[in-house]
């Protein structure tokens, strides 16, 4: 392997010119050292009209802030808390895309990628580096970018799966800043009930996909007595790690990547990051692979477990917005919904609390005006709240409404029944 030549972050970002589109590695592995260097160039009046693209990012996000209006413009594929207010104020923007297709935006040329800025692990003996906790669509960005900048960070785990040669990078910067970690709150009693209701739908030998946060951790806690589970997911966190360490997750029943956990990006404690380091039982792959419904469907008993901001009485699932207010993004929800539906014995599950923390019902007669439909009603199958689980597949609109009302908050059921009567007419009460 040839000797690595490092440059400073300020030198590396000199390749950025006004009007460029910049890709950032995301979630826990944002290259903050390069962003800070770009801010210095912006403060000096050297660049303007820079467009940023990324998944959900953790940490400071100056590329979305009002003080850089006209200089930086954020157009993320998924909106996290650090940019949410600025997106909804118009200082930043959301670019709707199924995450499985985010890589296609770059590879097809539909979206420019002039500069790729990513964090990578220390190289192996062959000069290959891992993107660690944030493979996502960064492989595609590196492939097509005019300039690729790699931040070599010893805290980035060397994860097997899709690797990149150091030779692909025009500039290499050294940094030893720890990756962002996330500790999630213990599940509430409501989340525990939802976890139990979901767990009852998961058979032994199933392959699971779920996200991060208190609710997925609540579900994971209810799966401790299951056997031979597999994992093929967009991302995972500490809840899945606990199942792996208990031997509940072993991938024995998987037909694709048997015995291995497959993901594309991670956010959790340092235990999760340490676990994937040089661990052949984990594959961190291009989002093109992890989110391909045809790949997902090859594993039998695929369980796609996702969430929602609202579900209307016909089964339309909103998950990216609350009315016109962008909350997150389309994500990979429909990628996995489709894959699970096609899987032999698979199930698509949408799980959420019947009410928000402020007491607003989430099973509604009509979605809030402007809300985005992430999963169409034709693809809505199992819906789970703390009050039970219902399967909408093969059910008419009125049958769906009756089922959904049965798992709404008890104090909301009379209102929903009245609104269903107004929608469907006097024959509504004959529907059983």
């Amino acid at each position: 392997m040839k000797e690595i030549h490092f440059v400073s972050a300020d030198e590396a970002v000199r390749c950025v010119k006004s009007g460029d589109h910049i890709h950032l590695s995301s979630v826990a592995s944002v290259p903050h050292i390069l962003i800070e260097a770009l801010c210095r160039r912006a403060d000096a009046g050297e660049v303007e009209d820079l467009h940023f693209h990324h998944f959900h990012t953790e940490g400071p996000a100056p590329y979305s802030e009002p003080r850089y209006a006209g200089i930086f413009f954020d157009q993320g594929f998924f909106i996290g808390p650090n940019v949410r207010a600025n997106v909804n104020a118009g200082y930043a923007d959301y670019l709707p895309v199924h995450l499985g297709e985010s890589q296609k935006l770059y590879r097809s040329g539909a979206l420019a990628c002039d500069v790729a800025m990513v964090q990578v692990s220390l190289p192996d003996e062959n000069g290959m580096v891992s993107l660690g906790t944030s493979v996502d669509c960064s492989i595609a960005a590196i492939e097509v970018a005019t300039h690729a900048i790699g931040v070599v960070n010893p805290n980035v785990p060397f994860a097997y799966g899709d690797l990149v040669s150091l030779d692909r990078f025009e500039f290499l910067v050294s940094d030893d800043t720890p990756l962002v970690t996330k500790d999630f709150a213990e599940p509430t009693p409501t989340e525990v009930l939802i976890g139990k209701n979901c767990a009852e739908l998961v058979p032994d030998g199933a392959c699971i996909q779920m996200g991060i946060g208190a609710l997925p951790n609540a579900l994971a806690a209810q799966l401790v007595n299951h056997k031979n589970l597999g994992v093929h997911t967009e991302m995972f966190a500490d809840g899945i790690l606990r199942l792996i360490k208990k031997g509940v997750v072993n991938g024995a029943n998987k037909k694709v990547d048997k015995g291995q956990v497959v993901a594309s990006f991670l956010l959790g404690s340092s235990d999760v990051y340490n676990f994937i380091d040089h661990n052949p039982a984990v594959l961190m792959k291009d989002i093109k692979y992890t989110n391909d419904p045809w790949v997902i469907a090859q594993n039998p008993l695929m369980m796609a477990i996702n969430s929602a901001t609202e579900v209307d009485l016909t089964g339309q699932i909103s998950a990216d917005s609350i009315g016109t207010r962008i909350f997150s993004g389309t994500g990979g929800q429909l990628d996995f919904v489709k894959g699970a539906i096609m899987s032999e014995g698979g199930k698509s599950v949408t799980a959420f609390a019947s009410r928000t923390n402020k007491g607003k019902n989430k099973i509604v007669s009509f979605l809030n005006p402007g809300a985005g439909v992430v999963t169409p009603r034709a693809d809505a199958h199992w819906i789970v709240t703390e009050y039970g689980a219902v399967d909408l597949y093969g059910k008419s609109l009125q049958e769906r409404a009756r089922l959904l009302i049965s798992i709404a908050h008890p104090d909301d059921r009379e209102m929903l029944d009245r609104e269903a009567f107004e929608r469907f007419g006097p024959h509504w009460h004959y529907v059983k």
Side-chain angles (χ1 to χ4, degrees):
M1 186 183 72
K2 69 179 184 181
E3 182 180 354
I4 302 174
H5 175 64
F6 290 113
V7 300
S8 69
D10 290 294
E11 183 177 346
V13 302
R14 285 179 193 151
C15 67
V16 178
K17 63 183 185 302
S18 295
D20 275 353
H21 287 252
I22 300 167
H23 169 81
L24 302 176
S25 56
S26 306
V27 196
S29 195
V30 181
H32 289 291
I33 190 173
L34 299 180
I35 295 166
E36 292 163 3
L38 272 181
C39 288
R40 288 191 286 272
R41 286 198 68 195
D43 293 339
E46 296 176 0
V47 289
E48 61 182 5
D49 191 32
L50 299 181
H51 301 255
F52 290 83
H53 308 291
H54 51 80
F55 287 15
H56 156 216
T57 56
E58 291 286 330
Y63 41 85
S64 75
E65 293 176 0
R67 63 189 171 114
Y68 287 114
I71 302 172
F72 297 158
F73 191 51
D74 191 35
Q75 298 170 307
F77 305 144
F78 195 90
I79 303 306
N82 62 343
V83 300
R84 191 173 292 145
N86 291 329
V87 166
N88 288 293
Y91 292 106
D93 205 357
Y94 164 54
L95 196 161
V97 64
H98 299 296
L99 288 191
E101 293 187 13
S102 58
Q103 50 77 32
K104 187 177 180 180
L105 290 176
Y106 290 145
R107 288 178 168 131
S108 69
L111 182 66
C113 182
D114 301 294
V115 185
M117 297 182 174
V118 301
Q119 288 209 92
V120 299
S121 71
L122 294 173
D124 67 8
E125 64 277 7
N126 298 312
M128 303 298 288
V129 292
S130 168
L131 288 159
T133 64
S134 185
V135 179
D136 50 71
C137 62
S138 292
I139 296 280
I142 294 166
E143 286 174 2
V144 306
T146 304
H147 307 284
I149 305 173
V151 176
V152 179
N153 187 333
N155 295 301
V156 173
F158 189 98
Y160 295 112
D162 290 325
L163 306 177
V164 179
S165 171
L166 272 183
D167 292 338
R168 182 62 190 83
F169 294 98
E170 183 177 358
F171 301 102
L172 293 172
V173 175
S174 179
D175 187 27
D176 62 359
T177 303
L179 301 188
V180 175
T181 58
K182 193 86 165 181
D183 294 318
F184 296 95
E186 286 300 311
T188 65
T190 294
E191 289 163 342
V192 170
L193 288 174
I194 297 168
K196 288 180 178 178
N197 290 336
C198 285
E200 290 176 359
L201 300 176
V202 179
D204 288 339
C207 185
I208 55 177
Q209 169 262 328
M210 55 186 182
I212 59 170
L215 185 52
N217 282 341
L219 169 57
Q222 301 302 318
L223 294 173
V224 291
N225 294 319
H226 278 61
K227 297 179 177 63
N228 299 324
L229 297 182
V231 173
H232 183 107
T233 188
E234 217 170 42
M235 64 184 306
F236 71 89
D238 291 76
I240 291 292
L241 179 59
R242 295 187 193 108
L243 293 178
I244 296 170
K245 290 184 174 180
K246 287 179 179 292
V248 174
V249 168
N250 57 24
N253 199 45
K254 292 179 72 176
K255 289 189 176 178
V256 178
D257 303 313
K258 194 177 186 71
Q260 294 175 303
V261 171
V262 176
S264 191
F265 54 97
L266 305 176
L267 178 62
S269 71
S270 57
D271 290 342
V272 175
Y273 307 157
N274 292 336
F275 178 76
I276 72 169
D277 187 44
H278 290 91
N279 186 347
V282 179
L283 296 179
M284 297 297 294
K285 300 283 286 181
D286 190 325
I287 202 82
K288 177 182 180 180
Y289 180 81
T290 59
N291 286 40
D292 184 340
W294 295 104
V295 174
I296 295 164
Q298 290 177 54
N299 282 312
L301 302 177
M302 184 70 209
M303 303 292 302
I305 303 170
N306 292 288
S307 193
T309 52
E310 285 184 324
V311 176
D312 78 5
L313 290 181
T314 72
Q316 293 189 113
I317 298 170
S318 179
D320 65 345
S321 55
I322 301 170
T324 58
R325 183 171 174 262
I326 297 299
F327 184 77
S328 54
T330 300
Q333 182 171 126
L334 198 57
D335 298 331
F336 280 91
V337 165
K338 287 292 191 183
I341 290 171
M342 292 189 294
S343 163
E344 181 182 353
K347 295 187 184 84
S348 171
V349 180
T350 303
F352 54 94
S354 63
R355 282 181 163 181
T356 68
N357 292 334
K358 295 182 178 179
K360 188 178 185 304
N361 55 305
K362 295 177 75 171
I363 293 177
V364 295
S365 298
F366 302 96
L367 298 179
N368 270 304
V373 175
V374 171
T375 297
R377 54 189 164 213
D379 289 317
H381 285 215
W382 284 94
I383 308 293
V384 176
T385 71
E386 69 270 33
Y387 295 105
V390 295
D391 188 6
L392 305 187
Y393 190 60
K395 302 298 191 295
S396 70
L397 296 184
Q398 294 185 44
E399 289 171 328
R400 287 163 175 248
R402 185 71 71 194
L403 288 170
L404 287 166
I405 291 171
S406 76
I407 61 169
H409 192 283
D411 293 344
D412 296 326
R413 293 176 191 173
E414 183 178 347
M415 172 193 68
L416 291 169
D417 184 80
R418 184 171 60 252
E419 292 175 349
F421 174 82
E422 293 172 357
R423 178 168 185 171
F424 297 116
H427 52 283
W428 157 250
H429 289 300
Y430 295 101
V431 177
K432 301 298 183 184

